[in-house]
Amino acid sequence: MKLKAEIVVNNDADLLYKCFKPEMNKWQRAKIEIKRNKDNLHFSIQAEDAVALRATLNSITGLLSVYEKTNRLIGKNG
């Protein structure tokens, strides 16, 4: 079964693209494409099965969470 998911992030597209680019070739059962434009970053994930899709989504959202928490800490501390 082929599964597909998409995630769109609406800010900091250039910086996030640089953060995610080294991670893109690490999955064996999923394919990820990243497209960026001026305003957003678009992830397109295609996986061979539900487990691969979930693992890929968890990796992406985990990195986004670290980025978001780091930005909050920087904002609070100046």
Side-chain angles (χ1 to χ4, degrees), residues 25-41:
N25 295 323
K26 291 189 175 184
W27 292 279
Q28 295 176 353
R29 296 182 352 225
K31 178 183 174 189
I32 301 173
E33 292 181 8
I34 301 177
K35 296 179 185 174
R36 70 178 160 166
N37 63 30
K38 184 175 123 182
D39 298 327
N40 61 40
L41 191 63

Side-chain angles (χ1 to χ4, degrees), residues 3-34:
L3 302 166
K4 184 175 180 178
E6 296 187 16
I7 299 173
V8 178
V9 181
N10 292 319
N11 50 351
D12 297 334
D14 287 331
L15 185 56
L16 283 170
Y17 181 80
K18 290 176 188 175
C19 292
F20 276 96
K21 193 63 178 165
E23 301 293 320
M24 289 304 97
N25 295 323
K26 291 189 175 184
W27 292 279
Q28 295 176 353
R29 296 182 352 225
K31 178 183 174 189
I32 301 173
E33 292 181 8
I34 301 177

